[in-house]
Amino acid sequence: DVKVTQSSRYLVKRTGEKVFLECVQDMDHENMFWYRQDPGLGLRLIYFSYDVKMKEKGDIPEGYSVSREKKERFSLILESASTNQTSMYLCASSLQSREAFFGQGTRLTVV
Amino acid sequence: LAKTTQPISMDSYEGQEVNITCSHNNIATNDYITWYQQFPSQGPRFIIQGYKTKVTNEVASLFIPADRKSSTLSLPRVSLSDTAVYYCLVGPTYSSASKIIFGSGTRLSIRP
């Protein structure tokens, strides 16, 4: 059974903290994605990676960075968390651009 | 990536067939059409994908006319558990380094 695992289901962080969201997939997929989802705004792509150490900006990369040192792991980093980054964060992986498999999501609250 | 347009919301009743149409006038030759379903507090789940004519699986059917400028997701005999948001996506599938972009989706509500 395919699996995309996000490190935390719920997270509460303080403004200004550096936050790491981790995502691991066990399907040997080339592509990995980070999205955020807010009510009324759908899923918005933050960053995606198509290979180890390769990344491309999505629609809303400001305030975020990513790291992909190994094929199975894709990390999203909030350099200095702000309250407007309170959101649901979803990680996904896919083989080329076929069916994407999603993790269970991380609900991040920045206070 | 081709832009997609789909209704914001739809309502139906249990046991009915539901058809959700998506417009993608600028679809490219190597683009596929993919539909996802999302329940609250979960990530989207792949439903079906097609290139032309008709595709059917155990969950849904996808109808694509010859000009490929639109597509229709058909859900047969819906139940309450089909209440979800449905997303239509268009993009190259057998291509690395290609983003997967979601639109606003269609919020489907099924009533008893």
mmCIF file of all heavy atoms in Angstrom, chain A residues 51-70:
data_model
loop_
_atom_site.group_PDB
_atom_site.id
_atom_site.type_symbol
_atom_site.label_atom_id
_atom_site.label_comp_id
_atom_site.label_asym_id
_atom_site.label_seq_id
_atom_site.Cartn_x
_atom_site.Cartn_y
_atom_site.Cartn_z
ATOM 1 N N ASP A 51 13.411 16.005 -8.231
ATOM 2 C CA ASP A 51 14.555 15.109 -8.059
ATOM 3 C C ASP A 51 15.288 15.556 -6.803
ATOM 4 O O ASP A 51 15.060 16.668 -6.304
ATOM 5 C CB ASP A 51 15.478 15.174 -9.276
ATOM 6 C CG ASP A 51 16.369 13.944 -9.414
ATOM 7 O OD1 ASP A 51 16.407 13.117 -8.475
ATOM 8 O OD2 ASP A 51 17.031 13.810 -10.461
ATOM 9 N N VAL A 52 16.191 14.740 -6.342
ATOM 10 C CA VAL A 52 16.990 15.111 -5.169
ATOM 11 C C VAL A 52 17.716 16.426 -5.448
ATOM 12 O O VAL A 52 18.275 16.622 -6.530
ATOM 13 C CB VAL A 52 18.007 13.999 -4.840
ATOM 14 C CG1 VAL A 52 18.941 14.442 -3.736
ATOM 15 C CG2 VAL A 52 17.277 12.729 -4.452
ATOM 16 N N LYS A 53 17.633 17.312 -4.494
ATOM 17 C CA LYS A 53 18.266 18.641 -4.548
ATOM 18 C C LYS A 53 17.674 19.557 -5.629
ATOM 19 O O LYS A 53 18.171 20.666 -5.816
ATOM 20 C CB LYS A 53 19.784 18.530 -4.734
ATOM 21 C CG LYS A 53 20.490 17.829 -3.579
ATOM 22 C CD LYS A 53 21.992 17.964 -3.698
ATOM 23 C CE LYS A 53 22.721 17.091 -2.678
ATOM 24 N NZ LYS A 53 22.468 17.512 -1.298
ATOM 25 N N MET A 54 16.652 19.126 -6.324
ATOM 26 C CA MET A 54 16.026 19.966 -7.343
ATOM 27 C C MET A 54 14.682 20.464 -6.827
ATOM 28 O O MET A 54 13.912 19.694 -6.235
ATOM 29 C CB MET A 54 15.827 19.190 -8.651
ATOM 30 C CG MET A 54 17.084 18.544 -9.187
ATOM 31 S SD MET A 54 18.411 19.722 -9.464
ATOM 32 C CE MET A 54 17.812 20.556 -10.912
ATOM 33 N N LYS A 55 14.398 21.721 -7.052
ATOM 34 C CA LYS A 55 13.152 22.286 -6.566
ATOM 35 C C LYS A 55 12.691 23.393 -7.502
ATOM 36 O O LYS A 55 13.486 23.991 -8.223
ATOM 37 C CB LYS A 55 13.338 22.854 -5.159
ATOM 38 C CG LYS A 55 14.354 23.984 -5.099
ATOM 39 C CD LYS A 55 14.622 24.416 -3.671
ATOM 40 C CE LYS A 55 15.660 25.539 -3.658
ATOM 41 N NZ LYS A 55 16.068 25.906 -2.295
ATOM 42 N N GLU A 56 11.394 23.647 -7.461
ATOM 43 C CA GLU A 56 10.827 24.771 -8.194
ATOM 44 C C GLU A 56 9.786 25.444 -7.333
ATOM 45 O O GLU A 56 9.073 24.778 -6.581
ATOM 46 C CB GLU A 56 10.165 24.298 -9.496
ATOM 47 C CG GLU A 56 11.098 24.203 -10.670
ATOM 48 C CD GLU A 56 10.363 24.128 -11.990
ATOM 49 O OE1 GLU A 56 9.242 24.668 -12.094
ATOM 50 O OE2 GLU A 56 10.912 23.499 -12.912
ATOM 51 N N LYS A 57 9.696 26.746 -7.463
ATOM 52 C CA LYS A 57 8.699 27.495 -6.721
ATOM 53 C C LYS A 57 7.311 27.202 -7.279
ATOM 54 O O LYS A 57 7.135 27.036 -8.488
ATOM 55 C CB LYS A 57 8.981 28.987 -6.800
ATOM 56 C CG LYS A 57 10.262 29.406 -6.091
ATOM 57 C CD LYS A 57 10.484 30.893 -6.223
ATOM 58 C CE LYS A 57 11.776 31.307 -5.511
ATOM 59 N NZ LYS A 57 12.032 32.754 -5.640
ATOM 60 N N GLY A 58 6.357 27.172 -6.354
ATOM 61 C CA GLY A 58 4.967 27.084 -6.764
ATOM 62 C C GLY A 58 4.359 28.478 -6.827
ATOM 63 O O GLY A 58 5.040 29.454 -7.141
ATOM 64 N N ASP A 59 3.091 28.567 -6.478
ATOM 65 C CA ASP A 59 2.385 29.845 -6.573
ATOM 66 C C ASP A 59 2.635 30.764 -5.379
ATOM 67 O O ASP A 59 2.523 31.982 -5.500
ATOM 68 C CB ASP A 59 0.880 29.586 -6.710
ATOM 69 C CG ASP A 59 0.550 28.843 -7.991
ATOM 70 O OD1 ASP A 59 1.243 29.071 -9.000
ATOM 71 O OD2 ASP A 59 -0.385 28.017 -7.983
ATOM 72 N N ILE A 60 2.961 30.197 -4.225
ATOM 73 C CA ILE A 60 3.090 31.011 -3.000
ATOM 74 C C ILE A 60 4.339 30.624 -2.203
ATOM 75 O O ILE A 60 4.250 30.212 -1.056
ATOM 76 C CB ILE A 60 1.828 30.887 -2.113
ATOM 77 C CG1 ILE A 60 1.472 29.410 -1.862
ATOM 78 C CG2 ILE A 60 0.648 31.619 -2.740
ATOM 79 C CD1 ILE A 60 0.526 29.215 -0.712
ATOM 80 N N PRO A 61 5.546 30.794 -2.745
ATOM 81 C CA PRO A 61 6.754 30.349 -2.049
ATOM 82 C C PRO A 61 7.269 31.307 -0.965
ATOM 83 O O PRO A 61 8.120 30.925 -0.164
ATOM 84 C CB PRO A 61 7.770 30.267 -3.185
ATOM 85 C CG PRO A 61 7.320 31.332 -4.141
ATOM 86 C CD PRO A 61 5.813 31.340 -4.067
ATOM 87 N N GLU A 62 6.733 32.522 -0.935
ATOM 88 C CA GLU A 62 7.282 33.524 -0.013
ATOM 89 C C GLU A 62 7.124 33.087 1.438
ATOM 90 O O GLU A 62 6.046 32.702 1.866
ATOM 91 C CB GLU A 62 6.573 34.878 -0.230
ATOM 92 C CG GLU A 62 6.759 35.490 -1.602
ATOM 93 C CD GLU A 62 5.891 34.840 -2.659
ATOM 94 O OE1 GLU A 62 4.873 34.183 -2.302
ATOM 95 O OE2 GLU A 62 6.234 34.969 -3.860
ATOM 96 N N GLY A 63 8.224 33.172 2.179
ATOM 97 C CA GLY A 63 8.201 32.800 3.589
ATOM 98 C C GLY A 63 8.509 31.339 3.839
ATOM 99 O O GLY A 63 8.555 30.899 4.992
ATOM 100 N N TYR A 64 8.719 30.592 2.742
ATOM 101 C CA TYR A 64 8.987 29.160 2.849
ATOM 102 C C TYR A 64 10.271 28.802 2.102
ATOM 103 O O TYR A 64 10.667 29.478 1.165
ATOM 104 C CB TYR A 64 7.853 28.338 2.242
ATOM 105 C CG TYR A 64 6.487 28.589 2.805
ATOM 106 C CD1 TYR A 64 5.639 29.521 2.210
ATOM 107 C CD2 TYR A 64 6.042 27.897 3.925
ATOM 108 C CE1 TYR A 64 4.378 29.761 2.725
ATOM 109 C CE2 TYR A 64 4.775 28.130 4.442
ATOM 110 C CZ TYR A 64 3.944 29.059 3.832
ATOM 111 O OH TYR A 64 2.701 29.290 4.339
ATOM 112 N N SER A 65 10.894 27.722 2.542
ATOM 113 C CA SER A 65 11.954 27.094 1.771
ATOM 114 C C SER A 65 11.771 25.587 1.884
ATOM 115 O O SER A 65 10.949 25.125 2.679
ATOM 116 C CB SER A 65 13.340 27.516 2.263
ATOM 117 O OG SER A 65 13.536 27.097 3.602
ATOM 118 N N VAL A 66 12.495 24.841 1.064
ATOM 119 C CA VAL A 66 12.356 23.389 1.078
ATOM 120 C C VAL A 66 13.734 22.747 1.004
ATOM 121 O O VAL A 66 14.719 23.372 0.617
ATOM 122 C CB VAL A 66 11.478 22.870 -0.091
ATOM 123 C CG1 VAL A 66 10.025 23.254 0.100
ATOM 124 C CG2 VAL A 66 12.016 23.365 -1.429
ATOM 125 N N SER A 67 13.748 21.466 1.346
ATOM 126 C CA SER A 67 14.977 20.692 1.281
ATOM 127 C C SER A 67 14.639 19.280 0.836
ATOM 128 O O SER A 67 13.706 18.665 1.357
ATOM 129 C CB SER A 67 15.649 20.654 2.656
ATOM 130 O OG SER A 67 16.735 19.759 2.656
ATOM 131 N N ARG A 68 15.413 18.795 -0.131
ATOM 132 C CA ARG A 68 15.253 17.396 -0.556
ATOM 133 C C ARG A 68 16.647 16.800 -0.737
ATOM 134 O O ARG A 68 17.220 16.838 -1.810
ATOM 135 C CB ARG A 68 14.447 17.289 -1.844
ATOM 136 C CG ARG A 68 14.089 15.834 -2.153
ATOM 137 C CD ARG A 68 12.843 15.729 -2.912
ATOM 138 N NE ARG A 68 12.485 14.357 -3.215
ATOM 139 C CZ ARG A 68 11.931 13.983 -4.352
ATOM 140 N NH1 ARG A 68 11.680 14.876 -5.306
ATOM 141 N NH2 ARG A 68 11.624 12.720 -4.551
ATOM 142 N N GLU A 69 17.148 16.258 0.357
ATOM 143 C CA GLU A 69 18.482 15.648 0.370
ATOM 144 C C GLU A 69 18.432 14.182 -0.027
ATOM 145 O O GLU A 69 19.411 13.628 -0.523
ATOM 146 C CB GLU A 69 19.109 15.792 1.760
ATOM 147 C CG GLU A 69 19.347 17.239 2.174
ATOM 148 C CD GLU A 69 20.364 17.924 1.275
ATOM 149 O OE1 GLU A 69 21.378 17.287 0.930
ATOM 150 O OE2 GLU A 69 20.140 19.090 0.899
ATOM 151 N N LYS A 70 17.302 13.541 0.212
ATOM 152 C CA LYS A 70 17.094 12.147 -0.176
ATOM 153 C C LYS A 70 15.786 12.044 -0.956
ATOM 154 O O LYS A 70 14.864 12.829 -0.733
ATOM 155 C CB LYS A 70 17.040 11.242 1.055
ATOM 156 C CG LYS A 70 18.346 11.153 1.803
ATOM 157 C CD LYS A 70 18.243 10.161 2.942
ATOM 158 C CE LYS A 70 19.573 10.031 3.657
ATOM 159 N NZ LYS A 70 19.513 9.035 4.751
#
